[in-house]
Amino acid sequence: MEFFVDTADTQAIRELCEYLPIDGVTTNPTIITKSGKEPEQVFAELCEVLTEDQKIIAQVVATDYEGILAEAQKIAVIRDGKNIVVKIPVTREGLRAIPAVKAMGISVLATGIYSPDQAFWAAKADADYLAPYVNRMCNYGDGVAQVVELVNTLAQYGFEAKVCAASFKNVDQVHKLLAAGVPSITVAPDIIRSMVGHPGTAIAVEEFTANWEKAYGRTCL
Ligand code: E4P
């Protein structure tokens, strides 16, 4: 499975990559604007902080068919096209553009998905990844359950498209999708940190060290 970080904060990416096997980064136009930097600078920094084995998944901003195709080509040459995936929202123009971008040999992540039906059409249009916005879907129903259902629907038809669950508010939503076997996921740094850190672990480690020191007068083997 693939686990991506949903951010353009290169400091956070660097920190997480130090201790976690992160598979890459996803951004969207809003995430890039939040960096306070020019998009070109953000992409350059991502190339610096990530290895070529880690994916960079970046989104088009244009909303018309021709514009999406042009921007997809622009994104596809970042880092000489190595492990680059272009995000395209599942609008009518986007759904039309997905097979055309795929035909150019560019990997596509269909994004802005609010329903399993939109995801179905993006899969049929040959997208490589489908990004349902789990937490935003929860405004309309049970987003987690709908994404689990989507994973099963794709398997039934043998679609190659992978769900890349996105838009999370808490660890519980992430946990439920991991338990359901979601093939890929993108999560913001603060939620990833909450997944990893547990006060019980820190207490257990302190206890091991204290007992060892008491018995052997040192804090190492
Ligand atoms: C992912 O690629 C999406 O763009 C992102 O997860 C959306 O998250 P949000 O709902 O927190 O904006």
Side-chain angles (χ1 to χ4, degrees):
M1 72 87 57
E2 291 175 297
F3 203 114
F4 303 116
V5 190
D6 201 20
T7 189
D9 178 344
T10 42
Q11 217 177 321
I13 296 165
R14 189 173 277 123
E15 171 230 316
L16 290 170
C17 287
E18 268 174 19
Y19 59 94
L20 295 175
I22 297 295
D23 296 299
V25 159
T26 56
T27 70
N28 65 33
T30 303
I31 288 174
I32 297 219
T33 60
K34 279 184 190 158
S35 73
K37 298 171 188 164
E38 288 298 311
E40 292 74 16
Q41 191 189 339
V42 173
F43 294 135
E45 287 181 16
L46 290 179
C47 293
E48 199 189 304
V49 83
L50 296 166
T51 69
E52 286 185 356
D53 292 334
Q54 293 172 304
K55 290 195 167 87
I56 296 177
I57 307 180
Q59 190 167 327
V60 297
V61 184
T63 54
D64 63 298
Y65 176 78
E66 284 79 14
I68 293 171
L69 263 52
E71 289 187 3
Q73 285 173 295
K74 208 170 160 184
I75 292 169
V77 296
I78 297 172
R79 204 172 56 182
D80 297 327
K82 287 181 192 117
N83 255 331
I84 303 294
V85 180
V86 174
K87 288 173 79 177
I88 301 177
V90 293
T91 57
R92 287 187 183 195
E93 295 288 284
L95 285 167
R96 185 181 159 211
I98 289 169
V101 172
K102 283 298 304 283
M104 294 171 182
I106 300 170
S107 298
V108 171
L109 181 149
T111 193
I113 292 174
Y114 277 71
S115 79
D117 301 326
Q118 289 177 308
F120 167 82
W121 281 111
K124 190 135 173 55
D126 204 21
D128 299 281
Y129 293 93
L130 312 167
Y133 280 12
V134 179
N135 187 54
R136 298 195 200 193
M137 287 167 78
C138 288
N139 288 324
Y140 304 92
D142 187 340
V144 172
Q146 285 188 332
V147 175
V148 172
E149 180 195 292
L150 172 62
V151 172
N152 294 330
T153 305
L154 296 173
Q156 278 177 40
Y157 285 108
F159 281 128
E160 283 181 18
K162 280 164 110 175
V163 169
C164 177
S167 174
F168 291 100
K169 191 177 68 175
N170 57 50
V171 174
D172 186 53
Q173 292 170 333
V174 174
H175 171 81
K176 284 182 175 141
L177 286 169
L178 291 176
V182 78
S184 72
I185 197 162
T186 185
V187 182
D190 54 341
I191 298 182
I192 298 179
R193 290 188 195 105
S194 301
M195 289 175 77
V196 175
H198 194 289
T201 308
I203 292 167
V205 171
E206 266 176 43
E207 209 176 271
F208 296 141
T209 309
N211 287 336
W212 191 269
E213 193 173 14
K214 204 168 144 194
Y216 305 114
R218 58 181 198 271
T219 57
C220 58
L221 261 183

